[in-house]
Each structure stands twice: as C-alpha cells, then as structure tokens.
Amino acid sequence: MTGASTDVSADASTDVVVEARNLQRTYDIRRGMFRAPAHLRAVGDISFRIERGRTLAVVGESGCGKSTLARMVALIEKPTAGQLTLVNADAVDTPQDRKRELRQAVQLVFQNPYGSLNPRKKISAVLEDPLAINTTLGKAERAARARDMLARVGLRPEYANRYPHMFSGGQRQRIAIARALMLSPRLLVADEPVSALDVSIQAQVLNLLADLQAELGLAYLFISHDLGVVRHIAHDVLVMYLGHAVEQGPKARIFARPLHPYTQALLASTPGLSSQRIVLKGELPSPLNPPTGCVFNTRCPHVAPRCREERPLLRMLDERQVACHFAEQFLEGAPVVRADVPMAATA
Ligand SMILES: Nc1ncnc2c1ncn2[C@@H]1O[C@H](COP(=O)(O)OP(=O)(O)O)[C@@H](O)[C@H]1O
Ligand SMILES: [Mg+2]
C-alpha cells in the first residue's frame, strides 16, 4: 500500500508472519551496592507462531509478562535468549539496515491512545510522519494516504486537521490504529488495546480490527487480561502465568474445555463464560522468587506434592498444549480434588 521501502511485505514464501522459539527476557534488579543483582525472569520460555490473517491472544494477570513479550515481538526490546523470526527473517541478530525494514513490518498499538499520540501534533502529522521518515513519497501523496487511512478506520478525512484532544477515547484508538497501519505492516502487536475503553466502544474497535485483518491479511498478537474480549478476536490463545505459558492452542478447544487449572480459573472469573465459579486465593508470587516446580502450585486448587517438586512441561493433549501434571484427568472430566493438601495454599 505505501510502496516504497516496504518490500518486506512482498517476500513472504509462507503464511507464517512471526515465529517465536523459546523467547526469554530477564531483568537484572539492583539490590544495593554490595549485593549481586537479582534476576527477574519476566518471560520464561515462550514459543508460538502466527500466520497471515490470524490472531494469537496472550492472556494472564497483570505482571505475568505480557507487555514484555509484546515489546520483544515488536522489536523494541531484545530477548535475553531464544529466537524470533519475522517475515522469514531473523529479527534478533539482524544487520541495522535490515532491521529498519523489519521494524516496519511490525507495529505496536498501546492501551492508552492519548498517551501514545503527541498532543501538539495534528492528526495529519501523526499519520504522515512515518511516511516522511520511511518513504520517498511527496507531501501531497502522504496527505492523500493519511486521509485514505482515516476513512479506513471509520473516521472522516477532514479530521486530519484536528488535534488528539478533540477526539473521544475510541476515536483516538482508531487514530492510533491508523498510524500503525501507515507503513503497511504484516503484524500488529496490540497491548491491551481496548482495556481503557467503554464496553460499547470496545466492541466497535474489535470489529474494526477484525475488518482490517480480513481486508489486509494482518497477523495480530493481541494482549489482554480479559477473556471476554479474547473470545471475540482470537483464533489461538496463549495463557501466561508468571512468565510461562501454561496452556496454548486453538481458542475453541481451550474455551470449550480448559485443561490447566489456571485457565479454568480465568474462564470461571469472566462473566458470561462459565457457570463454574473458582476464586483464586492468594496473590501472584513475585517473579523474583518464583515457586519451585509448577509456577502455579501456590494458588492451584488441585495442588499435589509432585507439583511442588517437578515443573510440568507443555505437552500436546486434546489439540492444545498444556503444562499440568494432571491435565489428562481434567480431560476425562474428573476434577482432581486432593483431600491431602489444603485448598489453594498460599505461599
Ligand atoms: N524494564 C523492567 N525492569 C525490571 N522489571 C521489569 C521491567 N519491565 C517489566 N518488569 C517486570 O516484569 C514482570 C512482567 O511485567 P509486564 O511484562 O509488564 O507484565 P504484564 O504486561 O503482564 O502486566 C513484572 O514483574 C514487572 O515488574
Ligand atoms: Mg502490560
């Protein structure tokens, strides 16, 4: 769509837009002058793949590593370990000139569209600046494309002359989406893009994202803590807990029969999704001091001694991957309630 210098969009030999393999991100936290820094593992070991026209939703509580993952996939932050491939190119160890191209292939949309739009810039500048920096298009053509993009996201072209404060939250998020699309990316990373919006407006923005995806073949990495939202937009789901994937696979499988106790609890706490009610006790443990064994064991209603000793790895079961020692028993329908351990023991 923007032509010049966005030719990464033309070389797709497969439909896979992004692939992450064992992505990790650790932060070194200083603890005073004389102590060695502590290592905070924000993202443990995440792998996924998103194809053209598909949406992977990443869900989990605040602090589980969603935004860190988003920043790595959007090439804002380097992984500590692991591989990231974007439009068939290595996106971690890439020469600078190639990285510039890759940076156009992935764009980020944030939760707070007001914070991410410069209040002193007219919408025309917000939309045209990426073209001015990254393409050889002339002024008239840049303006034409900005107006065209406004129409695409459901706004009137004459809004180009206004400033961000003149718009509602939903309109501002449409503008942020328009800006993200100016360089014809292949992948949109959206970090809680509707969480700050009223429910009625949320649905409109989600519909817009779905329409744009159908029209442009975009891949989405969609971050949300809200399974009600995820239900509308996702094809695949990755459930994160304390930096780790505890369950991931097709949305339909996971929503129909969640096999990880954490997924079960998340679904049960989302209005309208489940008749079951599971209240998770306790707080999310500190990622500076994660539980041994299964990361979820301090809050799991089904915890057994094995869970405190042995970390369950992701394995394929019922067309999704799940990391729970007792997942087979959940699949058989018998809830594993252990009388020998206190329910939801807290750390
Ligand atoms: N730049 C950073 N430096 C140190 N710790 C960080 C940094 N960014 C995130 N963290 C920590 O990493 C963990 C995951 O954070 P984040 O990715 O923001 O989670 P989420 O988006 O799911 O709320 C948190 O414990 C957070 O405090
Ligand atoms: Mg976040």
Side-chain angles (χ1 to χ4, degrees):
M1 198 167 48
T2 63
S5 81
T6 53
D7 58 339
V8 274
S9 56
D11 71 356
S13 55
T14 74
D15 270 352
V16 178
V17 175
V18 60
E19 181 164 12
R21 255 173 284 145
N22 309 106
L23 269 195
Q24 297 183 25
R25 175 73 211 193
T26 307
Y27 296 110
D28 290 340
I29 308 289
R30 297 237 140 255
R31 299 179 296 178
M33 291 242 281
F34 302 108
R35 296 174 69 193
H39 302 296
L40 186 152
R41 194 170 249 222
V43 171
D45 183 5
I46 300 284
S47 301
F48 60 82
R49 175 192 275 206
I50 314 176
E51 293 185 358
R52 187 185 143 78
R54 307 280 293 181
T55 299
L56 171 67
V58 177
V59 295
E61 282 161 285
S62 174
C64 72
K66 303 184 297 298
S67 293
T68 303
L69 181 65
R71 289 194 301 271
M72 287 194 285
V73 175
L75 310 185
I76 291 171
E77 204 165 300
K78 239 187 157 161
T80 315
Q83 282 120 44
L84 184 68
T85 313
L86 204 60
V87 284
N88 302 313
D90 178 352
V92 180
D93 296 307
T94 317
Q96 217 46 45
D97 53 337
R98 180 75 176 136
K99 202 145 206 172
R100 215 173 112 104
E101 279 176 60
L102 286 180
R103 285 231 161 82
Q104 294 180 23
V106 52
Q107 295 289 322
L108 191 55
V109 174
F110 298 94
Q111 172 173 356
N112 177 350
Y114 200 49
S116 67
L117 298 175
N118 184 337
R120 282 189 287 271
K121 267 194 194 177
K122 277 188 184 174
I123 303 310
S124 54
V126 167
L127 300 181
E128 290 170 37
D129 282 358
L131 295 176
I133 294 163
N134 294 290
T135 74
T136 54
L137 295 172
K139 178 133 192 51
E141 199 163 2
R142 294 200 299 265
R145 288 190 186 207
R147 285 164 182 268
D148 178 52
M149 190 56 80
L150 280 175
R152 268 207 167 161
V153 298
L155 295 174
R156 293 153 65 150
E158 57 268 30
Y159 287 180
N161 295 318
R162 299 188 184 176
Y163 289 90
H165 75 265
M166 301 163 98
F167 296 95
S168 68
Q171 287 174 323
R172 283 200 288 261
Q173 200 54 298
R174 287 174 191 266
I175 293 164
I177 292 166
R179 176 181 57 181
L181 296 182
M182 288 307 289
L183 292 170
S184 307
R186 305 282 313 279
L187 171 67
L188 210 61
V189 176
D191 191 353
E192 305 269 8
V194 300
S195 302
L197 305 176
D198 291 345
V199 173
S200 61
I201 310 294
Q202 282 189 354
Q204 293 171 13
V205 173
L206 292 175
N207 286 338
L208 171 66
L209 286 170
D211 291 347
L212 289 168
Q213 183 172 59
E215 203 179 318
L216 304 170
L218 291 162
Y220 292 155
L221 180 68
F222 188 96
I223 311 274
S224 179
H225 67 280
D226 183 346
L227 281 171
V229 164
V230 164
R231 181 170 61 154
H232 287 292
I233 191 115
H235 299 105
D236 296 295
V237 176
L238 188 160
V239 182
M240 265 179 100
Y241 187 83
L242 224 56
H244 293 275
V246 294
E247 187 161 4
Q248 78 184 86
K251 174 188 70 178
R253 296 310 305 154
I254 290 178
F255 274 61
R257 189 151 31 175
L259 294 183
H260 197 285
Y262 181 59
T263 318
Q264 292 166 359
L266 273 185
L267 278 166
S269 65
T270 307
L273 287 188
S274 172
S275 55
Q276 217 184 356
R277 189 139 172 77
I278 306 166
V279 179
L280 277 185
K281 304 245 173 67
E283 300 280 305
L284 194 68
S286 164
L288 273 172
N289 187 20
T292 55
C294 174
V295 280
F296 188 54
N297 81 58
T298 57
R299 294 167 82 197
C300 183
H302 310 295
V303 63
R306 183 182 174 191
C307 308
R308 300 201 178 92
E309 284 147 25
E310 191 188 332
R311 189 175 136 208
L313 299 177
L314 278 175
R315 63 184 190 283
M316 206 62 192
L317 185 64
D318 192 35
E319 295 166 47
R320 99 289 305 272
Q321 290 184 285
V322 56
C324 170
H325 293 308
F326 299 105
E328 281 79 4
Q329 292 169 53
F330 290 124
L331 185 60
E332 281 158 21
V336 194
V337 180
R338 320 276 308 191
D340 55 329
V341 284
M343 290 284 281
T346 46

